[in-house]
Amino acid sequence: MSAPTVLHRPSPARLRAFPVRRLPSWTTAVVIVAALAAYPLVFADSAAHNIGILALTFGIAATGWNLLGGYAGQVSFGHALYFGTGAYTTALLVRDGWSPWLAIALSLPLAALFAAAVGWPCFRLRHHYYSIATIAVAEIVFILVTNLPGLGQANGWELPVVEPSLANLQFSLLDKRPYYYVALGFFCVAALAVWLFLRGRAGNYVRAIRDDQVAAAAVGIDVHRYKLAAAALSGAITALAGGFYVMYVLFVDPPSGLGLDLSVSFTLMAVLGGVGRFWGPLLGAWVLVFVQDLTRQEFSGSGRSVDLLLYGALIVLVSITEPGGLLAILQRLWAPVARRLGRASRTETDPEPVESAEVKA
C-alpha cells in the first residue's frame, strides 16, 4: 500500500498575489481632487460650502466602511462606534486644552484598537450574524455613553469657541472654505491610506477572503489576522471623520456621534455609490447629503425622513438597473465614449498613406 499524500500548507510569503481590481490610476485621482478643489470656487454661497464639507466628511467615513464592508466583505452596522470614538476623544481633549490636530491624531489608534477588540470575537461569526453582532456592540456603547456623567450623558458636550485659526481648527462661519479644504485634505489622507493598503499583499488577501473565505484559508492566508488589519484601518479612517466633524459643528452627543442611523448612512452611501469600488463611497456621500439638503429646503419640518424615502428609492432603482452602484452606471455610460475617443485619437495619429511614385522606364 502506498503512503498517504501529505498536503503542506504553503507560506503566505510565497503565495501568488491576487490581481488588483478597481484601484484608481493617478490620473483619475488628480482629476477628481482637482474637481473637488474647484467646487468652492465655482459655488460661492455658504450653503453649497456646507454641502461640500458634510459630503467630504461622510465620504471619509463611508470610505472607511467600504474597506471593511466592500473590499473585505465584512458588512458592519456598527461603524458609528468608531465615528463616535473620534468625535468624543477629540471633544474631550480639546475641552482640556489640547490641540485639535493632536486630539484627532490620538483618536485614530484608539479607534483602531476598538475595531480590533470588536473584531476579535465578532469575526468568528459569518455573514449576517457578524452584522447583527456589530449592531449589538454599537448599541451597548450608545447606552453606556448616554448614561455616563463623564461623557456628558444625553446632553452631550459643547466645544469652546476660540480664535479662528488653522492651529485651532476653527474658522469664521462667514467663509466656510477653510473647513472645506481641511476636509478635502483629510479625505485625501484617508483615500491614500486605503489605496496603499489595497495595492499591497494585505489588500489582495482581504479581497480573496471576501470572494471565498474557505479557499483563502486553504491556500495559507491567515483569515482572522487580515480581517483584523482591515477592521483596524477602517476604524481609524472612520474616527478621522468623527474628529473633524466635531470640530466643525462644535458639539457632540450620543445621537449625533454614536447613533445607529450613522452606521446605516455609511453603509448606504457605499452601496449607492458602488460598494467595493474606490470612488463609490464618495459619490454616494455627495448624493445623500445633496438629497438631505434638498428635502430640508423644500419640505422644512414637514419633510422629516423624506430624504430617507428618496434615498431608499434611489437604492432600489440602482439595485435593479446596476448592482454595482452609480459609479458602475457612469462607467457603463462612459465606456462607449472612451472607445470612440480612442478610435478618433488613433485615426488622427496614424500617418497618411503615401502613394508610391511611378517608376519610369
Side-chain angles (χ1 to χ4, degrees), residues 18 126 205-218 221 223:
F18 290 87
R126 300 281 301 275
Y205 287 173
V206 296
R207 282 192 290 270
I209 293 168
R210 175 198 63 192
D211 293 339
D212 193 330
Q213 179 172 316
V214 175
I221 296 176
V223 172

Side-chain angles (χ1 to χ4, degrees), residues 65-159:
W65 183 95
N66 193 46
L67 174 61
L68 183 63
Y71 286 104
Q74 310 303 308
V75 178
S76 167
F77 290 108
H79 263 56
L81 170 60
Y82 316 129
F83 186 88
T85 299
Y88 270 94
T89 302
T90 302
L92 175 64
L93 296 179
V94 169
R95 283 165 60 91
D96 286 342
W98 289 56
S99 165
W101 296 95
L102 182 58
I104 293 174
L106 290 177
S107 72
L108 305 188
L110 183 60
L113 182 62
F114 283 167
V118 172
W120 183 265
C122 290
F123 283 143
R124 306 292 179 182
L125 304 173
R126 300 281 301 275
H127 307 303
H128 57 278
Y129 296 106
Y130 167 76
S131 302
I132 294 172
T134 59
I135 296 176
V137 173
E139 287 301 293
I140 290 171
V141 174
F142 179 90
I143 295 172
L144 289 175
V145 173
T146 303
N147 292 276
L148 282 177
L151 295 179
Q153 295 181 314
N155 295 325
W157 279 339
E158 291 184 1
L159 273 66

Side-chain angles (χ1 to χ4, degrees), residues 219-285:
V219 298
I221 296 176
D222 190 337
V223 172
H224 201 64
R225 173 187 174 186
Y226 287 103
K227 281 184 180 180
L228 290 176
L233 181 56
S234 176
I237 291 173
T238 309
L240 176 63
F244 173 75
Y245 180 78
V246 77
M247 292 306 303
Y248 177 55
V249 300
L250 298 179
F251 176 77
V252 62
D253 64 351
S256 66
L258 294 164
L260 179 61
D261 58 329
L262 281 174
S263 298
V264 175
S265 294
F266 302 154
T267 305
L268 295 180
M269 289 173 189
V271 171
L272 179 64
V275 67
R277 296 174 184 268
F278 194 85
W279 301 111
L282 177 64
L283 178 59

Side-chain angles (χ1 to χ4, degrees), residues 170-204:
Q170 290 190 28
F171 308 99
S172 172
L173 295 180
L174 299 177
D175 185 5
K176 295 183 178 180
R177 282 178 296 183
Y179 280 114
Y180 179 89
Y181 286 114
V182 171
L184 179 58
F186 281 151
F187 175 79
C188 291
V189 171
L192 180 61
V194 172
W195 184 81
L196 291 174
F197 181 88
L198 292 176
R199 73 185 296 267
R201 179 180 298 166
N204 295 330

